[in-house]
Amino acid sequence: MKYLLATAAIAPLLMFSSANAEALSADAKPAAEKAVQSAGGKASGEAVFSTGVAKGRDRLDSATSTSALRASEFETYGARSLGEVLRNIPGIRAEYAGGEGNANYSIRGLPLSGTGSKYVQLQEDGLPVLEFGDMLQFTSDMFMRSDLNLSQIETIRGGSASTFASNSPGGVINLISKTGDTEGGAVQGTYGLNYGEKRLDADYGGKISDTLRFHIGGFYRQGEGPRDVGYTAYKGGQIKANLTKTLENGYVRVYAKLMDDRTPSYQFVPIRVTGTNADPTFSNPANFNIKTDSLLSPYTSNIVTLDANNNIARDDIREGQRSKVASVGLDSQIELNGWTISEKFRISKISGGVRQVRPIAVAPAAALAFVYGGVGGALSFATGPQVGQAIANPTALNGNGLMTSAVKIKSDIDSLDNITNDLRASRVWKVGEGNLTTTVGYYKSSQDYGSYWSFMNTLTDVNGDGQTSLINVRTATGVAATQDGMVAYGVGGALFHRTYDVTNSVDAPYASINYHIGKISVGGSLRYDMGKVDGTLYGAELGGSRVGVISRDMNSDGVISLAETKTAALPLGQPGRVDYDYNYLSYSTGVNYRVAEQLAVFARYSRGGRSSAEKLLFTPAVDYNTGKLVDADSAYDTVKQAELGLKYRISGVTFNVTGFSAKTGERNIQVVSGSDGTTDVLNIVRGYKAKGVELEAAVSKGPFSVTAGATYTDAKITSADQSATLIGNKPRHQADFIYSVTPQVELKNATVGFNVIGTTSSYAQDTNQLKLPGYKLVNAFVQIRPMENVQLMLNVNNVFNTLAMVDSEQAAIPASGVILGRAYAGRTASATLRYSF
């Protein structure tokens, strides 16, 4: 990794936020309050919001669409992953059926780009976890966890997010940590009542002296998880700590995070579908429950492949998604000669990997016996309880007669190390009857991408309860077409057998100006991103004379089998070069009118950019001899947004509504899987536009309260280089209406409520044929406080065991009536006992 020079002349710090304001001690607070008042906020800290803006201010004085979830709110949801928390935020579509990490996040109708969060940046304490959140195998949320360390989650959609953070034209989601401003802590144990998980959480914070405080917390858990896989799939945890020194004119904070967590990667499974594309009915294959099963099992777990040095290597699918993070940071704020100077700095060492079993085709077992073994092809169990036994009647295999051709995926993270620095200075000037706030800043980051991938082709049956096995095929003459269930020690020749050693660096100066007079605030901001991509790639996919398929005795038995003649290797003597620069301008301008103390309206227009980053690598977009881009326009994508909003707040009532229009550039680049699940459809170039309305409301009266969020979106494909017939269609997975509602009753010794998450139907793919039906998931919670400091919580997710379809690889119902898709988990219940002190 290429380390950056830290700006040592000024104490590192985070820009002023509500969490920071509350954390300051009494002797330091006046300066902070003065800064808020100068920005047009309230000294009381009413609804102060900091993410994606120049300075923290009251949300009613900011021309932005924002939301904040406090820890006390999302604890009630019983969320099993970060995605389940974020699905409650208006404007954000979260798809988390794959497990904890590698979820898809999109915003305001902006399209999915393969996986991850292309237009949304995920942050912790104001800095990105990864500079780019939609890498093909690794996403930001793999390295983030929701636990007792969290104080709140702030989100900004559109607006100034594009000018106060790089690569975030859609918005920013910021997880803010507790800092010990409130003395005390908690320890709690959670037990899965109908699924395998045991978890222990703890945190504590408080004062060491009048000017020094700390917070420390973390969790550890292990268990099989909500799906039957037959082994311990979840194992690990994290610990976070920070130490804050308050000064007469600000504060300085140091913090650290250690994370080592293993979770499963739930991929597509066979699903039966009847009816029509417009009105389908999805159901389970016999002996396989799509809400509780997967193709993961102890019998599909063995990996044998060639490593990055072309040596035989063994691994295990049971390693799942392994996320390892060690990070340290500094974060501070000072008032100096009328200036508020802030800086944020963090260095992170990130490694791990992803192990998956991903089916690429599903068919009757007899058909696959013919495909791989010809006429008279015979099947037998390669692994599992019946290993070695012949399958005499393939049509009756497991009662469903199905098999899959699947890819075993081994993706190692050698380095996602990154170092990030954000320095800014703000000052409030008295101009006439109003206040002029000016801000200048400089952002610098370096993101490693060091990784090794190997994809291998195997055959599996379709069996539930963690019993899925690998299948062998022989020809009528007894010739083995597979070896230990492997069709080939590669896929499609040598597709996705590659290594990366690339560094992405970003330099971004930015500035903003805001004039506040009476009830009106007018402002604008600019950001200029300058990127550099430099590195080396290895893989036959780079083209030319590179050869990626060899013969190798993978099981060391002295015989080269048919499968072993199809072994993927790296052409180590023929690297590909990456060496290009890019730059783009982002801007935002808005006006806010505080109609009354309780009411404000705003308007804003923004343009932001996002580097194409890793999605361009191993595509024809780069000349791998020179390292330069074939088309300079492919280096980044742009998004333009217009917003018009209203915010209303009185005691017990909050109501925010924002109308929006979002449009990507006509050359928005995507890289998504092809119809066979393995071949990249490279450089899909499409344009998109969306318009809609976001609604956020909260009402509380006495013991009763309701919070709600909803988003209506009308999204269209506006251009499509590969297929003009797609123009006018809805982007895949984009529902017209998504919503969440959480009513609850809080009594003296108990809290009871439920959280409803719903969506209307959407299309599986951009061709707009097969519909994914809408759904409504009801999650109930009960909290009982039998004595002071003790709380017993019962959470039930998906109370009614609803089938909620998330995606389908197939764009239309196939003749077989079986697709490859994913659904959310069925009913899960957990109990938590907490002791607070």
Side-chain angles (χ1 to χ4, degrees):
M1 177 176 181
K2 295 181 178 179
Y3 290 100
L4 309 180
L5 294 176
T7 49
I10 300 174
L13 61 128
L14 181 67
M15 73 184 199
F16 181 77
S17 73
S18 58
N20 296 328
E22 293 167 0
L24 294 177
S25 65
D27 58 343
K29 206 165 187 177
E33 291 181 338
K34 181 178 179 181
V36 179
Q37 289 173 314
S38 298
K42 298 294 180 182
S44 62
E46 290 181 357
V48 174
F49 189 90
S50 66
T51 298
V53 294
K55 287 176 67 70
R57 55 168 58 94
D58 188 331
R59 290 171 64 185
L60 264 67
D61 282 325
S62 178
T64 54
S65 180
T66 60
S67 298
L69 283 176
R70 296 187 301 272
S72 58
E73 294 176 292
F74 54 75
E75 282 175 359
T76 62
Y77 302 154
R80 317 281 187 234
S81 68
L82 182 61
E84 292 185 39
V85 175
L86 299 181
R87 67 186 180 182
N88 287 275
I89 298 173
I92 293 176
R93 188 174 78 243
E95 297 179 359
Y96 48 87
E100 193 157 358
N102 259 324
N104 297 328
Y105 303 98
S106 58
I107 199 164
R108 289 184 169 175
L110 297 175
L112 293 174
S113 177
T115 57
S117 55
K118 178 173 182 176
Y119 298 106
V120 184
Q121 190 186 87
L122 272 63
Q123 297 183 343
E124 284 186 329
D125 296 315
L127 290 176
V129 175
L130 295 177
E131 188 65 67
F132 313 102
D134 71 330
M135 297 173 185
L136 282 171
Q137 293 290 311
F138 320 117
T139 57
S140 298
D141 66 338
M142 278 183 62
F143 310 100
M144 308 169 71
R145 295 293 183 264
S146 174
D147 63 10
L148 292 180
N149 286 295
L150 276 183
S151 169
Q152 64 180 4
I153 299 175
E154 292 185 348
T155 64
I156 179 170
R157 299 172 295 280
S160 55
S162 59
T163 53
F164 284 92
S166 292
N167 299 298
S168 59
V172 173
I173 300 172
N174 186 18
L175 277 61
I176 298 175
S177 302
K178 296 176 183 176
T179 60
D181 52 296
T182 300
E183 183 86 24
V187 59
Q188 68 180 38
T190 301
Y191 183 78
L193 298 177
N194 69 334
Y195 69 101
E197 184 174 354
K198 298 176 182 177
R199 173 167 170 152
L200 180 66
D201 287 75
D203 84 307
Y204 185 75
K207 286 186 176 182
I208 298 174
S209 70
D210 288 343
T211 61
L212 191 65
R213 67 182 188 276
F214 76 99
H215 186 270
I216 185 169
F219 75 93
Y220 183 83
R221 49 87 183 279
Q222 69 176 47
E224 185 177 14
R227 294 186 181 270
D228 298 323
V229 297
Y231 59 88
T232 298
Y234 288 81
K235 188 174 183 180
Q238 76 172 4
I239 184 169
K240 296 172 68 177
N242 58 67
L243 184 67
T244 303
K245 173 70 174 179
T246 58
L247 311 170
E248 290 185 359
N249 61 342
Y251 67 90
V252 176
R253 179 175 302 130
V254 295
Y255 61 88
K257 168 181 170 179
L258 286 174
M259 175 180 170
D260 189 349
D261 199 22
R262 187 183 78 196
T263 64
S265 176
Y266 300 127
Q267 292 300 307
F268 297 85
V269 296
I271 300 174
R272 292 200 179 277
V273 56
T274 56
T276 64
N277 286 326
D279 187 21
T281 299
F282 298 90
S283 61
N284 300 319
N287 296 316
F288 192 90
N289 189 325
I290 59 180
K291 290 182 285 187
T292 61
D293 287 324
S294 78
L295 295 184
L296 296 174
S297 88
Y299 311 119
T300 61
S301 65
N302 189 44
I303 293 175
V304 181
T305 187
L306 296 185
D307 64 16
N309 296 311
N310 287 336
N311 297 317
I312 294 175
R314 303 182 188 279
D315 212 319
D316 199 306
I317 294 291
R318 287 174 287 191
E319 276 293 296
Q321 293 180 164
R322 185 74 177 272
S323 304
K324 301 175 72 174
V325 181
S327 65
V328 293
L330 293 166
D331 157 355
S332 63
Q333 175 176 291
I334 57 173
E335 300 285 336
L336 187 63
N337 296 327
W339 290 88
T340 301
I341 302 174
S342 65
E343 203 220 18
K344 296 170 284 187
F345 170 82
R346 182 166 61 220
I347 182 169
S348 298
K349 183 174 178 60
I350 299 177
S351 60
V354 173
R355 310 289 183 266
Q356 299 174 347
V357 176
R358 183 182 183 192
I360 55 177
V362 57
L368 288 181
F370 173 76
V371 168
Y372 292 102
V375 176
L379 304 177
S380 63
F381 288 97
T383 61
Q386 304 175 72
V387 59
Q389 292 184 22
I391 301 172
N393 182 9
T395 60
L397 178 62
N398 298 318
N400 54 51
L402 296 175
M403 281 175 48
T404 78
S405 175
V407 174
K408 285 186 177 181
I409 298 176
K410 171 182 166 66
S411 300
D412 292 335
I413 302 172
D414 297 321
S415 173
L416 291 180
D417 298 354
N418 59 79
I419 186 167
T420 310
N421 198 85
D422 192 357
L423 172 67
R424 70 179 63 177
S426 296
R427 183 163 183 171
V428 180
W429 313 81
K430 190 68 175 178
V431 178
E433 297 298 318
N435 292 324
L436 180 69
T437 302
T438 57
T439 300
V440 293
Y442 197 92
Y443 175 84
K444 188 172 180 65
S445 75
S446 177
Q447 171 72 66
D448 273 6
Y449 187 67
S451 181
Y452 156 77
W453 296 11
S454 181
F455 284 33
M456 300 144 280
N457 193 193
T458 190
L459 299 177
T460 81
D461 64 358
V462 179
N463 199 1
D465 298 323
Q467 298 294 303
T468 298
S469 300
L470 301 182
I471 304 298
N472 273 328
V473 181
R474 286 184 176 272
T475 67
T477 58
V479 176
T482 62
Q483 178 175 291
D484 302 322
M486 301 297 296
V487 174
Y489 292 91
V491 60
L495 290 175
F496 296 101
H497 194 83
R498 46 172 83 159
T499 65
Y500 301 78
D501 185 6
V502 179
T503 298
N504 287 266
S505 61
V506 176
D507 287 80
Y510 58 94
S512 76
I513 187 169
N514 182 275
Y515 186 64
H516 180 259
I517 181 169
K519 296 181 177 182
I520 298 177
S521 295
V522 179
S525 51
L526 295 170
R527 187 182 191 92
Y528 190 69
D529 278 84
M530 299 170 286
K532 169 72 175 177
V533 184
D534 179 42
T536 304
L537 310 176
Y538 290 92
E541 294 169 280
L542 297 176
S545 61
R546 297 174 178 89
V547 177
V549 179
I550 64 173
S551 295
R552 181 70 65 88
D553 185 5
M554 300 297 288
N555 66 351
S556 302
D557 66 353
V559 177
I560 302 294
S561 67
L562 179 61
E564 290 173 328
T565 65
K566 296 176 281 187
T567 300
L570 294 173
L572 296 177
Q574 297 173 285
R577 184 182 177 193
V578 182
D579 182 10
Y580 67 87
D581 304 313
Y582 63 90
N583 53 74
Y584 60 85
L585 177 69
S586 301
Y587 56 82
S588 181
T589 183
V591 57
N592 190 84
Y593 180 59
R594 189 92 177 233
V595 180
E597 182 66 22
Q598 302 87 3
L599 177 65
V601 293
F602 75 91
R604 180 172 286 276
Y605 184 81
S606 305
R607 178 190 188 268
R610 200 278 187 196
S611 167
S612 300
E614 171 261 358
K615 289 294 178 72
L616 287 184
L617 306 181
F618 285 94
T619 78
V622 181
D623 181 333
Y624 295 104
N625 293 316
T626 65
K628 305 304 180 184
L629 292 178
V630 175
D631 178 4
D633 290 340
S634 64
Y636 63 92
D637 301 314
T638 60
V639 175
K640 295 180 179 179
Q641 294 193 66
E643 304 167 72
L644 185 64
L646 178 148
K647 303 177 185 181
Y648 179 70
R649 181 184 67 215
I650 60 172
S651 179
V653 178
T654 300
F655 179 81
N656 302 319
V657 60
T658 304
F660 62 86
S661 173
K663 184 177 182 180
T664 71
E666 292 299 297
R667 299 198 57 78
N668 170 75
I669 293 177
Q670 295 174 256
V671 179
V672 298
S673 296
S675 59
D676 64 357
T678 64
T679 306
D680 269 359
V681 182
L682 302 178
N683 290 338
I684 288 180
V685 181
R686 292 178 189 162
Y688 301 82
K689 68 177 180 181
K691 57 185 177 181
V693 179
E694 297 170 351
L695 172 67
E696 182 180 26
V699 179
S700 62
K701 186 172 181 60
F704 301 98
S705 66
V706 179
T707 59
T711 307
Y712 170 77
T713 308
D714 179 17
K716 303 290 184 185
I717 298 172
T718 58
S719 65
D721 281 11
Q722 284 79 6
S723 177
T725 61
L726 298 179
I727 296 175
N729 284 3
K730 289 183 179 294
R732 62 194 180 106
H733 298 195
Q734 180 60 60
D736 287 344
F737 189 64
I738 58 176
Y739 63 90
S740 66
V741 182
T742 307
Q744 67 180 44
V745 180
E746 186 168 354
L747 306 174
K748 180 179 179 181
N749 295 314
T751 302
V752 180
F754 57 91
N755 169 235
V756 182
I757 303 294
T759 177
T760 55
S761 64
S762 62
Y763 288 106
Q765 299 295 340
D766 287 347
T767 53
N768 286 190
Q769 296 167 278
L770 178 60
K771 273 193 172 182
L772 302 175
Y775 57 82
K776 178 175 62 180
L777 299 178
V778 179
N779 313 297
F781 56 89
V782 178
Q783 300 175 348
I784 300 173
R785 296 173 286 276
M787 62 184 71
E788 187 178 3
N789 300 335
V790 175
Q791 181 170 261
L792 177 63
M793 295 176 279
L794 175 66
N795 291 91
V796 184
N797 278 4
N798 196 357
V799 172
F800 301 109
N801 204 32
T802 300
L803 175 60
M805 289 294 301
V806 182
D807 50 21
S808 165
E809 285 278 74
Q810 284 70 32
I813 300 175
S816 65
V818 182
I819 64 165
L820 291 171
R822 282 191 291 198
Y824 286 130
R827 183 188 303 112
T828 57
S830 65
T832 300
L833 181 62
R834 175 186 294 183
Y835 176 69
S836 302
F837 50 91

